[in-house]
């Protein structure tokens, strides 16, 4: 959730956001977040 709000600066209150909206915003970030996690492990 923090990543979605940080990257997109959306104006939806965290208590009002739906699962579908989270998926919509989060899906494009998955690949880059996986890469960052791999780099952090090295």
């Amino acid at each position: 959730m923090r990543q979605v709000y940080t990257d997109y600066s959306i104006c939806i209150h965290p208590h009002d956001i739906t699962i579908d909206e989270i998926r919509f915003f989060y899906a494009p970030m998955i690949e880059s977040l996986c890469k960052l996690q791999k780099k952090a492990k090295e």
Side-chain angles (χ1 to χ4, degrees):
M1 288 291 293
R2 288 181 189 165
Q3 192 68 41
V4 168
Y5 279 87
T6 299
D7 288 357
Y8 291 102
S9 301
I10 56 177
C11 298
I12 302 168
H13 192 275
H15 295 285
D16 297 332
I17 194 166
T18 65
I19 296 296
D20 287 336
E21 290 168 331
I22 294 169
R23 286 183 185 133
F24 173 80
F25 288 112
Y26 190 72
M29 297 188 297
I30 293 172
E31 185 177 341
S32 62
L33 291 173
C34 289
K35 288 178 184 177
L36 287 173
Q37 288 177 349
K38 286 181 183 177
K39 286 181 183 178
K41 287 181 181 179
E42 294 175 351

Short mmCIF file of all heavy atoms in Angstrom, two decimals:
data_model
loop_
_atom_site.label_atom_id
_atom_site.label_comp_id
_atom_site.label_asym_id
_atom_site.label_seq_id
_atom_site.Cartn_x
_atom_site.Cartn_y
_atom_site.Cartn_z
N MET A 1 0.81 -1.19 0.00
CA MET A 1 0.00 0.00 0.00
C MET A 1 0.86 1.26 0.00
O MET A 1 0.58 2.18 -0.75
CB MET A 1 -0.90 0.02 1.25
CG MET A 1 -2.04 -0.98 1.24
SD MET A 1 -3.30 -0.55 0.04
CE MET A 1 -3.93 0.92 0.74
N ARG A 2 1.88 1.25 0.82
CA ARG A 2 2.75 2.44 0.87
C ARG A 2 3.39 2.69 -0.49
O ARG A 2 3.52 3.83 -0.91
CB ARG A 2 3.83 2.27 1.92
CG ARG A 2 3.33 2.34 3.31
CD ARG A 2 4.45 2.19 4.29
NE ARG A 2 3.92 2.06 5.63
CZ ARG A 2 4.62 1.63 6.64
NH1 ARG A 2 5.89 1.30 6.48
NH2 ARG A 2 4.08 1.54 7.83
N GLN A 3 3.80 1.63 -1.15
CA GLN A 3 4.45 1.77 -2.44
C GLN A 3 3.50 2.37 -3.46
O GLN A 3 3.87 3.24 -4.25
CB GLN A 3 4.96 0.41 -2.93
CG GLN A 3 5.89 0.51 -4.12
CD GLN A 3 7.20 1.17 -3.76
OE1 GLN A 3 7.77 0.91 -2.71
NE2 GLN A 3 7.69 2.02 -4.62
N VAL A 4 2.26 1.94 -3.46
CA VAL A 4 1.25 2.48 -4.39
C VAL A 4 1.07 3.97 -4.14
O VAL A 4 1.09 4.77 -5.07
CB VAL A 4 -0.09 1.73 -4.24
CG1 VAL A 4 -1.21 2.45 -4.97
CG2 VAL A 4 0.03 0.30 -4.74
N TYR A 5 0.90 4.36 -2.89
CA TYR A 5 0.69 5.78 -2.57
C TYR A 5 1.94 6.61 -2.84
O TYR A 5 1.85 7.76 -3.26
CB TYR A 5 0.21 5.95 -1.13
CG TYR A 5 -1.26 5.71 -0.99
CD1 TYR A 5 -1.76 4.44 -0.77
CD2 TYR A 5 -2.16 6.76 -1.12
CE1 TYR A 5 -3.12 4.21 -0.67
CE2 TYR A 5 -3.53 6.54 -1.01
CZ TYR A 5 -4.00 5.27 -0.79
OH TYR A 5 -5.36 5.05 -0.70
N THR A 6 3.11 6.04 -2.63
CA THR A 6 4.35 6.76 -2.89
C THR A 6 4.57 6.98 -4.39
O THR A 6 4.90 8.08 -4.82
CB THR A 6 5.54 5.98 -2.33
OG1 THR A 6 5.37 5.85 -0.93
CG2 THR A 6 6.85 6.69 -2.61
N ASP A 7 4.36 5.94 -5.18
CA ASP A 7 4.63 6.03 -6.62
C ASP A 7 3.57 6.78 -7.40
O ASP A 7 3.87 7.40 -8.41
CB ASP A 7 4.80 4.63 -7.21
CG ASP A 7 6.10 3.98 -6.79
OD1 ASP A 7 6.90 4.63 -6.09
OD2 ASP A 7 6.32 2.82 -7.16
N TYR A 8 2.33 6.72 -6.96
CA TYR A 8 1.26 7.29 -7.77
C TYR A 8 0.61 8.54 -7.20
O TYR A 8 -0.14 9.21 -7.90
CB TYR A 8 0.17 6.23 -8.01
CG TYR A 8 0.63 5.11 -8.90
CD1 TYR A 8 1.00 3.89 -8.36
CD2 TYR A 8 0.72 5.28 -10.28
CE1 TYR A 8 1.44 2.85 -9.17
CE2 TYR A 8 1.16 4.25 -11.09
CZ TYR A 8 1.51 3.04 -10.53
OH TYR A 8 1.94 2.02 -11.33
N SER A 9 0.85 8.86 -5.94
CA SER A 9 0.25 10.04 -5.31
C SER A 9 -1.26 10.10 -5.55
O SER A 9 -1.80 11.14 -5.94
CB SER A 9 0.91 11.32 -5.82
OG SER A 9 2.28 11.31 -5.57
N ILE A 10 -1.92 9.00 -5.31
CA ILE A 10 -3.36 8.95 -5.55
C ILE A 10 -4.11 9.67 -4.44
O ILE A 10 -3.63 9.79 -3.32
CB ILE A 10 -3.87 7.50 -5.71
CG1 ILE A 10 -3.50 6.65 -4.50
CG2 ILE A 10 -3.35 6.89 -6.98
CD1 ILE A 10 -4.02 5.24 -4.58
N CYS A 11 -5.28 10.17 -4.76
CA CYS A 11 -6.07 10.97 -3.82
C CYS A 11 -7.16 10.15 -3.14
O CYS A 11 -8.13 10.71 -2.64
CB CYS A 11 -6.69 12.15 -4.55
SG CYS A 11 -5.48 13.26 -5.25
N ILE A 12 -7.04 8.85 -3.15
CA ILE A 12 -8.03 7.98 -2.52
C ILE A 12 -7.58 7.73 -1.08
O ILE A 12 -6.44 7.37 -0.83
CB ILE A 12 -8.15 6.64 -3.27
CG1 ILE A 12 -8.53 6.88 -4.73
CG2 ILE A 12 -9.15 5.73 -2.59
CD1 ILE A 12 -8.39 5.63 -5.60
N HIS A 13 -8.48 7.93 -0.14
CA HIS A 13 -8.16 7.67 1.26
C HIS A 13 -7.87 6.17 1.42
O HIS A 13 -8.57 5.35 0.83
CB HIS A 13 -9.34 8.08 2.14
CG HIS A 13 -9.00 8.10 3.59
ND1 HIS A 13 -9.05 6.98 4.37
CD2 HIS A 13 -8.58 9.12 4.38
CE1 HIS A 13 -8.68 7.29 5.60
NE2 HIS A 13 -8.39 8.59 5.63
N PRO A 14 -6.85 5.80 2.17
CA PRO A 14 -6.48 4.39 2.31
C PRO A 14 -7.63 3.48 2.76
O PRO A 14 -7.67 2.31 2.40
CB PRO A 14 -5.37 4.41 3.35
CG PRO A 14 -4.78 5.76 3.25
CD PRO A 14 -5.92 6.67 2.87
N HIS A 15 -8.56 4.02 3.51
CA HIS A 15 -9.70 3.21 3.97
C HIS A 15 -10.74 3.02 2.86
O HIS A 15 -11.61 2.16 2.98
CB HIS A 15 -10.36 3.86 5.19
CG HIS A 15 -9.46 3.89 6.38
ND1 HIS A 15 -9.19 2.77 7.14
CD2 HIS A 15 -8.75 4.90 6.92
CE1 HIS A 15 -8.36 3.09 8.11
NE2 HIS A 15 -8.07 4.39 8.00
N ASP A 16 -10.67 3.81 1.80
CA ASP A 16 -11.66 3.76 0.73
C ASP A 16 -11.18 3.03 -0.52
O ASP A 16 -11.98 2.76 -1.41
CB ASP A 16 -12.09 5.17 0.33
CG ASP A 16 -12.77 5.91 1.47
OD1 ASP A 16 -13.38 5.24 2.33
OD2 ASP A 16 -12.68 7.15 1.50
N ILE A 17 -9.89 2.71 -0.60
CA ILE A 17 -9.37 2.07 -1.80
C ILE A 17 -9.83 0.61 -1.86
O ILE A 17 -9.92 -0.07 -0.84
CB ILE A 17 -7.82 2.18 -1.87
CG1 ILE A 17 -7.33 1.84 -3.28
CG2 ILE A 17 -7.16 1.35 -0.81
CD1 ILE A 17 -5.89 2.23 -3.53
N THR A 18 -10.17 0.16 -3.05
CA THR A 18 -10.65 -1.21 -3.22
C THR A 18 -9.50 -2.13 -3.64
O THR A 18 -8.45 -1.66 -4.09
CB THR A 18 -11.75 -1.28 -4.30
OG1 THR A 18 -11.17 -0.94 -5.56
CG2 THR A 18 -12.90 -0.34 -3.99
N ILE A 19 -9.72 -3.41 -3.50
CA ILE A 19 -8.72 -4.40 -3.92
C ILE A 19 -8.44 -4.27 -5.41
O ILE A 19 -7.28 -4.35 -5.83
CB ILE A 19 -9.20 -5.83 -3.58
CG1 ILE A 19 -9.32 -5.99 -2.07
CG2 ILE A 19 -8.27 -6.86 -4.17
CD1 ILE A 19 -8.02 -5.87 -1.31
N ASP A 20 -9.46 -4.04 -6.21
CA ASP A 20 -9.26 -3.89 -7.65
C ASP A 20 -8.39 -2.67 -7.96
O ASP A 20 -7.55 -2.71 -8.87
CB ASP A 20 -10.60 -3.75 -8.37
CG ASP A 20 -11.36 -5.07 -8.43
OD1 ASP A 20 -10.73 -6.15 -8.35
OD2 ASP A 20 -12.60 -5.02 -8.55
N GLU A 21 -8.56 -1.59 -7.23
CA GLU A 21 -7.73 -0.40 -7.44
C GLU A 21 -6.29 -0.67 -7.03
O GLU A 21 -5.36 -0.24 -7.71
CB GLU A 21 -8.30 0.78 -6.66
CG GLU A 21 -9.61 1.28 -7.24
CD GLU A 21 -10.33 2.25 -6.33
OE1 GLU A 21 -10.19 2.17 -5.10
OE2 GLU A 21 -11.06 3.10 -6.88
N ILE A 22 -6.10 -1.39 -5.94
CA ILE A 22 -4.74 -1.75 -5.52
C ILE A 22 -4.07 -2.59 -6.59
O ILE A 22 -2.92 -2.34 -6.96
CB ILE A 22 -4.77 -2.51 -4.18
CG1 ILE A 22 -5.24 -1.58 -3.07
CG2 ILE A 22 -3.38 -3.09 -3.85
CD1 ILE A 22 -5.55 -2.28 -1.76
N ARG A 23 -4.78 -3.58 -7.10
CA ARG A 23 -4.21 -4.43 -8.18
C ARG A 23 -3.87 -3.60 -9.40
O ARG A 23 -2.84 -3.80 -10.03
CB ARG A 23 -5.20 -5.53 -8.55
CG ARG A 23 -5.31 -6.61 -7.54
CD ARG A 23 -6.25 -7.70 -8.01
NE ARG A 23 -6.43 -8.69 -6.98
CZ ARG A 23 -7.60 -9.18 -6.61
NH1 ARG A 23 -8.70 -8.77 -7.19
NH2 ARG A 23 -7.68 -10.08 -5.66
N PHE A 24 -4.74 -2.66 -9.77
CA PHE A 24 -4.52 -1.82 -10.95
C PHE A 24 -3.23 -1.03 -10.81
O PHE A 24 -2.42 -0.97 -11.74
CB PHE A 24 -5.71 -0.87 -11.13
CG PHE A 24 -5.51 0.15 -12.21
CD1 PHE A 24 -5.69 -0.19 -13.54
CD2 PHE A 24 -5.13 1.45 -11.90
CE1 PHE A 24 -5.49 0.74 -14.55
CE2 PHE A 24 -4.93 2.39 -12.90
CZ PHE A 24 -5.12 2.02 -14.22
N PHE A 25 -3.01 -0.42 -9.65
CA PHE A 25 -1.82 0.40 -9.45
C PHE A 25 -0.57 -0.44 -9.19
O PHE A 25 0.53 -0.07 -9.58
CB PHE A 25 -2.03 1.37 -8.28
CG PHE A 25 -2.98 2.49 -8.59
CD1 PHE A 25 -4.21 2.56 -7.96
CD2 PHE A 25 -2.64 3.48 -9.49
CE1 PHE A 25 -5.08 3.60 -8.25
CE2 PHE A 25 -3.50 4.51 -9.78
CZ PHE A 25 -4.73 4.57 -9.15
N TYR A 26 -0.72 -1.58 -8.52
CA TYR A 26 0.43 -2.37 -8.10
C TYR A 26 0.99 -3.26 -9.21
O TYR A 26 2.21 -3.47 -9.27
CB TYR A 26 0.03 -3.23 -6.90
CG TYR A 26 1.18 -3.92 -6.23
CD1 TYR A 26 2.09 -3.20 -5.47
CD2 TYR A 26 1.38 -5.28 -6.36
CE1 TYR A 26 3.16 -3.82 -4.84
CE2 TYR A 26 2.45 -5.92 -5.74
CZ TYR A 26 3.33 -5.18 -4.99
OH TYR A 26 4.37 -5.80 -4.38
N ALA A 27 0.15 -3.76 -10.09
CA ALA A 27 0.58 -4.71 -11.13
C ALA A 27 1.77 -4.21 -11.96
O ALA A 27 2.72 -4.97 -12.17
CB ALA A 27 -0.59 -5.07 -12.03
N PRO A 28 1.80 -2.97 -12.42
CA PRO A 28 2.95 -2.51 -13.21
C PRO A 28 4.26 -2.44 -12.41
O PRO A 28 5.34 -2.41 -12.99
CB PRO A 28 2.55 -1.12 -13.68
CG PRO A 28 1.08 -1.03 -13.53
CD PRO A 28 0.73 -1.96 -12.40
N MET A 29 4.19 -2.42 -11.10
CA MET A 29 5.38 -2.27 -10.27
C MET A 29 6.04 -3.60 -9.91
O MET A 29 7.17 -3.62 -9.45
CB MET A 29 5.03 -1.55 -8.96
CG MET A 29 4.55 -0.15 -9.16
SD MET A 29 4.36 0.74 -7.61
CE MET A 29 3.10 -0.20 -6.79
N ILE A 30 5.35 -4.71 -10.11
CA ILE A 30 5.84 -6.00 -9.63
C ILE A 30 7.23 -6.34 -10.17
O ILE A 30 8.12 -6.72 -9.40
CB ILE A 30 4.83 -7.12 -9.94
CG1 ILE A 30 3.56 -6.90 -9.12
CG2 ILE A 30 5.43 -8.50 -9.67
CD1 ILE A 30 2.42 -7.83 -9.47
N GLU A 31 7.44 -6.20 -11.45
CA GLU A 31 8.72 -6.57 -12.05
C GLU A 31 9.87 -5.73 -11.48
O GLU A 31 10.92 -6.27 -11.11
CB GLU A 31 8.67 -6.40 -13.57
CG GLU A 31 9.92 -6.88 -14.25
CD GLU A 31 9.84 -6.79 -15.77
OE1 GLU A 31 8.74 -6.70 -16.32
OE2 GLU A 31 10.91 -6.80 -16.40
N SER A 32 9.67 -4.43 -11.38
CA SER A 32 10.76 -3.58 -10.86
C SER A 32 11.00 -3.84 -9.38
O SER A 32 12.15 -3.79 -8.92
CB SER A 32 10.45 -2.11 -11.11
OG SER A 32 9.28 -1.71 -10.43
N LEU A 33 9.97 -4.14 -8.62
CA LEU A 33 10.16 -4.45 -7.20
C LEU A 33 10.91 -5.76 -7.01
O LEU A 33 11.75 -5.87 -6.11
CB LEU A 33 8.81 -4.50 -6.48
CG LEU A 33 8.08 -3.16 -6.34
CD1 LEU A 33 6.69 -3.37 -5.77
CD2 LEU A 33 8.87 -2.20 -5.48
N CYS A 34 10.64 -6.73 -7.86
CA CYS A 34 11.37 -8.00 -7.79
C CYS A 34 12.86 -7.78 -8.08
O CYS A 34 13.72 -8.36 -7.41
CB CYS A 34 10.79 -9.01 -8.77
SG CYS A 34 9.17 -9.64 -8.28
N LYS A 35 13.16 -6.94 -9.07
CA LYS A 35 14.55 -6.64 -9.39
C LYS A 35 15.26 -5.96 -8.21
O LYS A 35 16.40 -6.27 -7.90
CB LYS A 35 14.63 -5.75 -10.64
CG LYS A 35 14.29 -6.48 -11.91
CD LYS A 35 14.33 -5.54 -13.10
CE LYS A 35 13.89 -6.23 -14.37
NZ LYS A 35 13.87 -5.30 -15.51
N LEU A 36 14.56 -5.03 -7.57
CA LEU A 36 15.14 -4.34 -6.41
C LEU A 36 15.42 -5.31 -5.27
O LEU A 36 16.45 -5.20 -4.60
CB LEU A 36 14.20 -3.23 -5.93
CG LEU A 36 14.12 -2.00 -6.80
CD1 LEU A 36 13.02 -1.06 -6.28
CD2 LEU A 36 15.44 -1.27 -6.83
N GLN A 37 14.52 -6.24 -5.05
CA GLN A 37 14.71 -7.21 -3.98
C GLN A 37 15.90 -8.12 -4.28
O GLN A 37 16.67 -8.46 -3.37
CB GLN A 37 13.46 -8.04 -3.78
CG GLN A 37 12.34 -7.26 -3.15
CD GLN A 37 11.06 -8.06 -3.01
OE1 GLN A 37 10.93 -9.15 -3.57
NE2 GLN A 37 10.09 -7.53 -2.30
N LYS A 38 16.07 -8.52 -5.52
CA LYS A 38 17.21 -9.36 -5.90
C LYS A 38 18.52 -8.62 -5.69
O LYS A 38 19.49 -9.18 -5.20
CB LYS A 38 17.08 -9.81 -7.35
CG LYS A 38 16.05 -10.88 -7.56
CD LYS A 38 15.97 -11.30 -9.00
CE LYS A 38 14.87 -12.33 -9.22
NZ LYS A 38 14.74 -12.71 -10.63
N LYS A 39 18.56 -7.34 -6.06
CA LYS A 39 19.77 -6.54 -5.87
C LYS A 39 20.07 -6.38 -4.39
O LYS A 39 21.25 -6.39 -3.99
CB LYS A 39 19.61 -5.16 -6.52
CG LYS A 39 19.68 -5.18 -8.01
CD LYS A 39 19.55 -3.80 -8.58
CE LYS A 39 19.55 -3.81 -10.09
NZ LYS A 39 19.39 -2.45 -10.66
N ALA A 40 19.05 -6.22 -3.58
CA ALA A 40 19.25 -6.03 -2.14
C ALA A 40 19.84 -7.29 -1.49
O ALA A 40 20.59 -7.20 -0.53
CB ALA A 40 17.94 -5.65 -1.47
N LYS A 41 19.51 -8.46 -2.02
CA LYS A 41 20.01 -9.70 -1.47
C LYS A 41 21.48 -9.92 -1.79
O LYS A 41 22.17 -10.64 -1.08
CB LYS A 41 19.20 -10.90 -1.99
CG LYS A 41 17.82 -10.98 -1.40
CD LYS A 41 17.07 -12.19 -1.93
CE LYS A 41 15.68 -12.28 -1.37
NZ LYS A 41 14.95 -13.44 -1.90
N GLU A 42 21.95 -9.31 -2.85
CA GLU A 42 23.35 -9.50 -3.31
C GLU A 42 24.34 -8.70 -2.50
O GLU A 42 24.18 -7.94 -1.70
CB GLU A 42 23.49 -9.12 -4.77
CG GLU A 42 22.71 -10.06 -5.67
CD GLU A 42 22.74 -9.61 -7.12
OE1 GLU A 42 23.21 -8.49 -7.42
OE2 GLU A 42 22.28 -10.38 -7.95
#
